[in-house]
Amino acid sequence: MNIRPARVEDLAGMQAANLQNLPENYSMKFWLYHAMTWPQISFVAEDHKGRIVGYVLAKIDDQESSEDPVHGHVNSISVLRSFRRLGLANKLMLASQEAMRSVYKATYVTLHVRKSNKAALGLYRDSLGFKVDKVEEKYYADGEDAYSMRLTMTD
Ligand SMILES: CC(C)(COP(=O)(O)OP(=O)(O)OC[C@H]1O[C@@H](n2cnc3c(N)ncnc32)[C@H](O)[C@@H]1OP(=O)(O)O)[C@@H](O)C(=O)NCCC(=O)NCCS
């Protein structure tokens, strides 16, 4: 299994994995916008035949003011069911975080997760050290609340 930066030609495979794994789906324009704007911080996991089995899609958030430090945001991450619990999501997140830090000098990273998503919460909180910043009520289209999570990246 290989982890590498996502390229434009991977976007269809990333979108297909997203459709299989999550109810939050996006137009190809959205995927392309991320790949073209922040090409270094989204990553894919591919199998030995080059098929996309996981991805992380990330961006650099707009700064609210000049004092607001540069920070990254993870829009979406997923791994195909038969490739889970192999450490791929952990590696994808670490690769993205490291690129946010080294390329953009980002000092923290944020994301949203469903309160009920035990696997993702285990990944973010227990493996990667994210903390819950706040609860965003009815964040998702079906009315579920989100945890807004944050990880400070130190040198
Ligand atoms: C969440 C998801 C991306 C994790 O992918 P993964 O490649 O299986 O995760 P990893 O193997 O890297 O696991 C890293 C850690 O996350 C936690 N974790 C992963 N799956 C878990 C599960 N089912 N239950 C509890 N903890 C889990 C564990 O702490 C794990 O470390 P360990 O295996 O040493 O115990 C995957 O389950 C997935 O694609 N789910 C559907 C899409 C989704 O929910 N995305 C997140 C949206 S916010």
Side-chain angles (χ1 to χ4, degrees):
M1 227 65 69
N2 183 30
I3 307 280
R4 60 165 176 79
R7 302 188 287 254
V8 168
E9 55 269 33
D10 299 320
L11 295 176
M14 294 165 76
Q15 188 181 39
N18 167 262
L19 281 165
Q20 269 188 51
N21 291 328
L22 282 163
E24 289 75 39
N25 311 126
Y26 313 101
S27 65
M28 185 44 76
K29 195 170 150 189
F30 180 89
W31 292 91
L32 197 52
Y33 173 66
H34 282 70
M36 303 294 281
T37 314
W38 305 282
Q40 311 90 341
I41 60 176
S42 291
F43 285 79
V44 292
E46 61 182 359
D47 71 3
H48 65 287
K49 289 188 173 166
R51 289 175 299 209
I52 304 299
V53 301
Y55 68 85
V56 58
L57 182 75
K59 67 174 182 172
I60 298 295
D61 262 338
D62 289 338
Q63 286 165 271
E64 277 158 29
S65 69
S66 52
E67 284 100 73
D68 186 20
V70 178
H71 59 279
H73 183 81
V74 173
N75 282 97
S76 185
I77 178 169
S78 71
V79 171
L80 296 186
R81 206 168 276 281
S82 45
F83 294 86
R84 290 185 190 163
R85 282 326 266 270
L86 298 173
L88 291 178
N90 196 49
K91 285 192 183 137
L92 287 163
M93 285 293 295
L94 290 175
S96 179
Q97 289 166 204
E98 175 51 27
M100 288 173 187
R101 217 171 53 82
S102 61
V103 178
Y104 293 98
K105 310 287 172 237
T107 58
Y108 68 94
V109 54
T110 60
L111 54 80
H112 291 99
V113 57
R114 286 176 183 268
K115 271 183 161 179
S116 64
N117 193 340
K118 291 207 168 56
L121 275 167
L123 168 70
Y124 303 141
R125 193 182 44 205
D126 306 334
S127 288
L128 295 165
F130 277 76
K131 301 263 186 288
V132 175
D133 201 22
K134 54 182 184 257
V135 175
E136 293 193 28
E137 284 182 16
K138 300 192 175 22
Y139 177 83
Y140 292 99
D142 61 5
E144 184 168 350
D145 296 348
Y147 288 128
S148 169
M149 303 192 83
R150 180 175 169 137
L151 175 77
T152 301
M153 298 188 283
T154 45
D155 287 329

Short mmCIF file of all heavy atoms in Angstrom, two decimals, residues 98-141:
data_model
loop_
_atom_site.label_atom_id
_atom_site.label_comp_id
_atom_site.label_asym_id
_atom_site.label_seq_id
_atom_site.Cartn_x
_atom_site.Cartn_y
_atom_site.Cartn_z
N GLU A 98 1.66 17.06 7.99
CA GLU A 98 3.06 17.42 7.78
C GLU A 98 3.21 18.38 6.59
O GLU A 98 3.96 19.35 6.65
CB GLU A 98 3.90 16.14 7.58
CG GLU A 98 5.36 16.37 7.23
CD GLU A 98 6.09 17.33 8.18
OE1 GLU A 98 5.71 17.45 9.36
OE2 GLU A 98 7.05 17.98 7.70
N ALA A 99 2.44 18.13 5.52
CA ALA A 99 2.49 19.03 4.36
C ALA A 99 1.89 20.39 4.69
O ALA A 99 2.41 21.42 4.25
CB ALA A 99 1.76 18.38 3.18
N MET A 100 0.81 20.42 5.46
CA MET A 100 0.24 21.72 5.88
C MET A 100 1.28 22.54 6.62
O MET A 100 1.39 23.75 6.45
CB MET A 100 -0.95 21.49 6.82
CG MET A 100 -2.19 20.96 6.18
SD MET A 100 -3.38 20.58 7.49
CE MET A 100 -4.66 19.79 6.53
N ARG A 101 2.02 21.84 7.46
CA ARG A 101 3.03 22.52 8.30
C ARG A 101 4.23 22.96 7.45
O ARG A 101 4.65 24.11 7.52
CB ARG A 101 3.50 21.52 9.37
CG ARG A 101 3.77 22.10 10.73
CD ARG A 101 4.00 20.99 11.73
NE ARG A 101 5.03 20.06 11.30
CZ ARG A 101 6.32 20.26 11.44
NH1 ARG A 101 6.76 21.35 12.03
NH2 ARG A 101 7.19 19.37 11.02
N SER A 102 4.75 22.06 6.66
CA SER A 102 5.99 22.40 5.96
C SER A 102 5.75 23.31 4.75
O SER A 102 6.55 24.20 4.49
CB SER A 102 6.74 21.13 5.54
OG SER A 102 5.94 20.38 4.67
N VAL A 103 4.66 23.13 4.05
CA VAL A 103 4.43 23.94 2.84
C VAL A 103 3.79 25.28 3.18
O VAL A 103 4.18 26.30 2.64
CB VAL A 103 3.54 23.17 1.83
CG1 VAL A 103 3.26 24.01 0.59
CG2 VAL A 103 4.17 21.84 1.45
N TYR A 104 2.81 25.26 4.08
CA TYR A 104 2.03 26.49 4.35
C TYR A 104 2.32 27.10 5.72
O TYR A 104 1.72 28.10 6.07
CB TYR A 104 0.53 26.19 4.25
CG TYR A 104 0.11 25.84 2.84
CD1 TYR A 104 -0.02 24.52 2.43
CD2 TYR A 104 -0.12 26.84 1.90
CE1 TYR A 104 -0.40 24.18 1.14
CE2 TYR A 104 -0.49 26.53 0.61
CZ TYR A 104 -0.63 25.19 0.23
OH TYR A 104 -0.99 24.88 -1.06
N LYS A 105 3.19 26.47 6.50
CA LYS A 105 3.48 26.94 7.87
C LYS A 105 2.21 26.96 8.72
O LYS A 105 2.03 27.86 9.57
CB LYS A 105 4.13 28.34 7.87
CG LYS A 105 5.32 28.49 6.93
CD LYS A 105 6.54 27.76 7.47
CE LYS A 105 7.68 27.73 6.48
NZ LYS A 105 8.19 26.42 6.11
N ALA A 106 1.31 26.03 8.48
CA ALA A 106 0.09 25.96 9.28
C ALA A 106 0.44 25.55 10.71
O ALA A 106 1.33 24.72 10.93
CB ALA A 106 -0.87 24.94 8.68
N THR A 107 -0.25 26.17 11.67
CA THR A 107 0.07 25.86 13.07
C THR A 107 -0.99 24.98 13.73
O THR A 107 -0.77 24.45 14.79
CB THR A 107 0.24 27.14 13.91
OG1 THR A 107 -0.97 27.89 13.82
CG2 THR A 107 1.41 27.97 13.41
N TYR A 108 -2.16 24.90 13.09
CA TYR A 108 -3.15 23.95 13.62
C TYR A 108 -4.05 23.45 12.50
O TYR A 108 -4.04 24.00 11.39
CB TYR A 108 -3.95 24.55 14.78
CG TYR A 108 -4.89 25.68 14.46
CD1 TYR A 108 -6.23 25.44 14.19
CD2 TYR A 108 -4.46 27.00 14.47
CE1 TYR A 108 -7.12 26.48 13.92
CE2 TYR A 108 -5.33 28.05 14.20
CZ TYR A 108 -6.67 27.77 13.93
OH TYR A 108 -7.53 28.80 13.67
N VAL A 109 -4.77 22.41 12.80
CA VAL A 109 -5.67 21.81 11.80
C VAL A 109 -7.02 21.54 12.46
O VAL A 109 -7.08 21.20 13.65
CB VAL A 109 -5.02 20.55 11.15
CG1 VAL A 109 -4.58 19.56 12.17
CG2 VAL A 109 -5.95 19.88 10.16
N THR A 110 -8.08 21.76 11.70
CA THR A 110 -9.43 21.56 12.23
C THR A 110 -10.19 20.55 11.36
O THR A 110 -9.81 20.28 10.21
CB THR A 110 -10.23 22.88 12.22
OG1 THR A 110 -10.31 23.36 10.88
CG2 THR A 110 -9.59 23.93 13.11
N LEU A 111 -11.28 20.03 11.91
CA LEU A 111 -12.18 19.15 11.15
C LEU A 111 -13.49 19.01 11.91
O LEU A 111 -13.59 19.41 13.07
CB LEU A 111 -11.53 17.78 10.93
CG LEU A 111 -11.02 17.00 12.13
CD1 LEU A 111 -12.14 16.28 12.86
CD2 LEU A 111 -9.98 15.97 11.70
N HIS A 112 -14.48 18.47 11.22
CA HIS A 112 -15.77 18.14 11.85
C HIS A 112 -15.98 16.64 11.79
O HIS A 112 -15.58 16.00 10.83
CB HIS A 112 -16.93 18.81 11.10
CG HIS A 112 -16.95 20.29 11.23
ND1 HIS A 112 -16.46 21.14 10.26
CD2 HIS A 112 -17.38 21.08 12.24
CE1 HIS A 112 -16.60 22.38 10.67
NE2 HIS A 112 -17.14 22.38 11.87
N VAL A 113 -16.63 16.13 12.83
CA VAL A 113 -16.93 14.70 12.85
C VAL A 113 -18.29 14.50 13.52
O VAL A 113 -18.63 15.23 14.47
CB VAL A 113 -15.81 13.89 13.55
CG1 VAL A 113 -15.56 14.37 14.97
CG2 VAL A 113 -16.09 12.40 13.53
N ARG A 114 -19.05 13.53 12.98
CA ARG A 114 -20.33 13.21 13.62
C ARG A 114 -20.09 12.69 15.04
O ARG A 114 -19.18 11.88 15.24
CB ARG A 114 -21.06 12.12 12.82
CG ARG A 114 -21.66 12.60 11.55
CD ARG A 114 -22.27 11.45 10.76
NE ARG A 114 -22.77 11.93 9.49
CZ ARG A 114 -24.03 12.35 9.29
NH1 ARG A 114 -24.92 12.25 10.26
NH2 ARG A 114 -24.41 12.81 8.12
N LYS A 115 -20.96 13.12 15.95
CA LYS A 115 -20.85 12.66 17.34
C LYS A 115 -20.89 11.13 17.42
O LYS A 115 -20.28 10.54 18.31
CB LYS A 115 -22.01 13.22 18.16
CG LYS A 115 -21.76 14.56 18.79
CD LYS A 115 -22.99 14.92 19.61
CE LYS A 115 -22.71 15.98 20.63
NZ LYS A 115 -23.94 16.31 21.38
N SER A 116 -21.60 10.49 16.49
CA SER A 116 -21.79 9.03 16.57
C SER A 116 -20.66 8.25 15.86
O SER A 116 -20.67 7.02 15.89
CB SER A 116 -23.12 8.66 15.91
OG SER A 116 -23.07 8.97 14.53
N ASN A 117 -19.72 8.92 15.22
CA ASN A 117 -18.73 8.23 14.39
C ASN A 117 -17.54 7.75 15.25
O ASN A 117 -16.51 8.40 15.37
CB ASN A 117 -18.24 9.15 13.26
CG ASN A 117 -17.46 8.39 12.20
OD1 ASN A 117 -16.96 7.28 12.44
ND2 ASN A 117 -17.32 8.98 11.03
N LYS A 118 -17.74 6.57 15.84
CA LYS A 118 -16.76 6.05 16.81
C LYS A 118 -15.40 5.80 16.18
O LYS A 118 -14.36 6.07 16.79
CB LYS A 118 -17.29 4.76 17.44
CG LYS A 118 -18.47 4.99 18.35
CD LYS A 118 -18.56 3.90 19.43
CE LYS A 118 -19.56 4.26 20.51
NZ LYS A 118 -20.92 4.56 19.99
N ALA A 119 -15.39 5.26 14.96
CA ALA A 119 -14.11 4.95 14.31
C ALA A 119 -13.32 6.24 14.07
O ALA A 119 -12.12 6.32 14.40
CB ALA A 119 -14.36 4.22 12.99
N ALA A 120 -14.00 7.25 13.52
CA ALA A 120 -13.30 8.50 13.22
C ALA A 120 -12.86 9.21 14.51
O ALA A 120 -11.76 9.75 14.59
CB ALA A 120 -14.19 9.40 12.38
N LEU A 121 -13.72 9.14 15.53
CA LEU A 121 -13.34 9.76 16.81
C LEU A 121 -12.12 9.07 17.41
O LEU A 121 -11.22 9.72 17.96
CB LEU A 121 -14.50 9.70 17.80
CG LEU A 121 -15.50 10.84 17.67
CD1 LEU A 121 -16.77 10.52 18.45
CD2 LEU A 121 -14.87 12.14 18.18
N GLY A 122 -12.08 7.74 17.27
CA GLY A 122 -10.91 6.99 17.74
C GLY A 122 -9.65 7.44 17.01
O GLY A 122 -8.60 7.67 17.62
N LEU A 123 -9.79 7.60 15.69
CA LEU A 123 -8.65 8.04 14.88
C LEU A 123 -8.19 9.44 15.31
O LEU A 123 -7.01 9.66 15.60
CB LEU A 123 -9.07 8.04 13.40
CG LEU A 123 -8.14 8.73 12.42
CD1 LEU A 123 -6.84 7.93 12.26
CD2 LEU A 123 -8.81 8.89 11.05
N TYR A 124 -9.11 10.37 15.34
CA TYR A 124 -8.73 11.77 15.59
C TYR A 124 -8.25 11.98 17.04
O TYR A 124 -7.22 12.58 17.28
CB TYR A 124 -9.90 12.72 15.32
CG TYR A 124 -10.45 12.63 13.91
CD1 TYR A 124 -11.82 12.71 13.68
CD2 TYR A 124 -9.61 12.48 12.82
CE1 TYR A 124 -12.34 12.63 12.39
CE2 TYR A 124 -10.12 12.39 11.53
CZ TYR A 124 -11.49 12.46 11.33
OH TYR A 124 -11.99 12.37 10.05
N ARG A 125 -9.05 11.50 17.99
CA ARG A 125 -8.77 11.82 19.40
C ARG A 125 -7.69 10.89 19.97
O ARG A 125 -6.70 11.37 20.51
CB ARG A 125 -10.08 11.68 20.19
CG ARG A 125 -10.06 12.25 21.58
CD ARG A 125 -11.39 12.00 22.25
NE ARG A 125 -11.82 10.62 22.00
CZ ARG A 125 -13.09 10.20 22.02
NH1 ARG A 125 -14.07 11.03 22.27
NH2 ARG A 125 -13.39 8.93 21.79
N ASP A 126 -7.88 9.58 19.78
CA ASP A 126 -6.98 8.64 20.47
C ASP A 126 -5.65 8.49 19.72
O ASP A 126 -4.60 8.44 20.35
CB ASP A 126 -7.66 7.28 20.64
CG ASP A 126 -9.01 7.41 21.34
OD1 ASP A 126 -9.19 8.40 22.09
OD2 ASP A 126 -9.88 6.56 21.11
N SER A 127 -5.71 8.39 18.38
CA SER A 127 -4.45 8.16 17.65
C SER A 127 -3.70 9.45 17.36
O SER A 127 -2.48 9.49 17.45
CB SER A 127 -4.71 7.48 16.31
OG SER A 127 -5.09 6.16 16.53
N LEU A 128 -4.45 10.51 16.98
CA LEU A 128 -3.76 11.72 16.49
C LEU A 128 -3.71 12.85 17.50
O LEU A 128 -2.95 13.81 17.32
CB LEU A 128 -4.45 12.20 15.20
CG LEU A 128 -4.34 11.23 14.02
CD1 LEU A 128 -5.34 11.61 12.93
CD2 LEU A 128 -2.92 11.21 13.44
N GLY A 129 -4.52 12.78 18.55
CA GLY A 129 -4.44 13.80 19.61
C GLY A 129 -5.28 15.04 19.40
O GLY A 129 -5.08 16.07 20.05
N PHE A 130 -6.27 14.98 18.48
CA PHE A 130 -7.20 16.11 18.33
C PHE A 130 -8.02 16.28 19.61
O PHE A 130 -8.29 15.30 20.31
CB PHE A 130 -8.18 15.84 17.18
CG PHE A 130 -7.66 16.18 15.82
CD1 PHE A 130 -6.74 15.33 15.18
CD2 PHE A 130 -8.08 17.30 15.15
CE1 PHE A 130 -6.27 15.62 13.91
CE2 PHE A 130 -7.61 17.61 13.88
CZ PHE A 130 -6.70 16.77 13.26
N LYS A 131 -8.43 17.54 19.87
CA LYS A 131 -9.31 17.84 21.00
C LYS A 131 -10.61 18.42 20.46
O LYS A 131 -10.61 19.10 19.43
CB LYS A 131 -8.66 18.90 21.91
CG LYS A 131 -7.29 18.50 22.46
CD LYS A 131 -7.42 17.94 23.86
CE LYS A 131 -6.08 17.66 24.52
NZ LYS A 131 -5.36 16.50 23.97
N VAL A 132 -11.71 18.17 21.21
CA VAL A 132 -12.99 18.78 20.82
C VAL A 132 -12.95 20.25 21.18
O VAL A 132 -12.69 20.61 22.33
CB VAL A 132 -14.18 18.08 21.53
CG1 VAL A 132 -15.49 18.81 21.20
CG2 VAL A 132 -14.26 16.62 21.14
N ASP A 133 -13.18 21.10 20.18
CA ASP A 133 -13.17 22.55 20.38
C ASP A 133 -14.56 23.01 20.79
O ASP A 133 -14.75 23.75 21.74
CB ASP A 133 -12.76 23.18 19.04
CG ASP A 133 -12.22 24.58 19.18
OD1 ASP A 133 -11.77 24.91 20.28
OD2 ASP A 133 -12.26 25.32 18.18
N LYS A 134 -15.57 22.57 20.03
CA LYS A 134 -16.96 22.88 20.36
C LYS A 134 -17.90 21.89 19.67
O LYS A 134 -17.46 21.16 18.76
CB LYS A 134 -17.31 24.31 19.97
CG LYS A 134 -17.02 24.67 18.53
CD LYS A 134 -17.36 26.13 18.30
CE LYS A 134 -17.19 26.50 16.86
NZ LYS A 134 -16.08 27.22 16.43
N VAL A 135 -19.16 21.93 20.11
CA VAL A 135 -20.18 21.12 19.45
C VAL A 135 -20.95 22.04 18.51
O VAL A 135 -21.34 23.14 18.92
CB VAL A 135 -21.16 20.50 20.48
CG1 VAL A 135 -22.30 19.76 19.77
CG2 VAL A 135 -20.42 19.57 21.43
N GLU A 136 -21.11 21.63 17.27
CA GLU A 136 -21.93 22.42 16.34
C GLU A 136 -23.24 21.66 16.13
O GLU A 136 -23.25 20.60 15.51
CB GLU A 136 -21.18 22.67 15.04
CG GLU A 136 -19.98 23.57 15.29
CD GLU A 136 -19.35 24.12 14.03
OE1 GLU A 136 -20.02 24.28 13.00
OE2 GLU A 136 -18.12 24.39 14.10
N GLU A 137 -24.30 22.23 16.71
CA GLU A 137 -25.59 21.54 16.70
C GLU A 137 -26.16 21.47 15.29
O GLU A 137 -26.09 22.45 14.55
CB GLU A 137 -26.56 22.23 17.66
CG GLU A 137 -26.21 21.88 19.09
CD GLU A 137 -27.15 22.49 20.11
OE1 GLU A 137 -28.24 22.93 19.72
OE2 GLU A 137 -26.74 22.50 21.28
N LYS A 138 -26.72 20.28 14.98
CA LYS A 138 -27.40 20.06 13.67
C LYS A 138 -26.51 20.47 12.49
O LYS A 138 -26.98 21.04 11.51
CB LYS A 138 -28.73 20.81 13.63
CG LYS A 138 -29.70 20.37 14.71
CD LYS A 138 -31.09 20.93 14.42
CE LYS A 138 -32.18 20.49 15.34
NZ LYS A 138 -31.89 20.00 16.64
N TYR A 139 -25.24 20.20 12.61
CA TYR A 139 -24.28 20.57 11.55
C TYR A 139 -24.56 19.80 10.25
O TYR A 139 -24.41 20.33 9.16
CB TYR A 139 -22.87 20.28 12.05
CG TYR A 139 -21.78 20.55 11.05
CD1 TYR A 139 -21.27 21.83 10.86
CD2 TYR A 139 -21.25 19.51 10.27
CE1 TYR A 139 -20.27 22.07 9.92
CE2 TYR A 139 -20.25 19.73 9.35
CZ TYR A 139 -19.77 21.01 9.18
OH TYR A 139 -18.77 21.25 8.26
N TYR A 140 -24.94 18.53 10.41
CA TYR A 140 -25.12 17.68 9.22
C TYR A 140 -26.56 17.79 8.68
O TYR A 140 -27.49 18.12 9.44
CB TYR A 140 -24.77 16.22 9.57
CG TYR A 140 -23.27 16.08 9.82
CD1 TYR A 140 -22.77 16.05 11.13
CD2 TYR A 140 -22.37 16.03 8.77
CE1 TYR A 140 -21.40 15.96 11.37
CE2 TYR A 140 -21.01 15.94 9.00
CZ TYR A 140 -20.52 15.90 10.29
OH TYR A 140 -19.18 15.82 10.52
N ALA A 141 -26.69 17.47 7.39
CA ALA A 141 -27.98 17.63 6.70
C ALA A 141 -29.10 16.82 7.38
O ALA A 141 -30.26 17.21 7.36
CB ALA A 141 -27.84 17.21 5.24
#
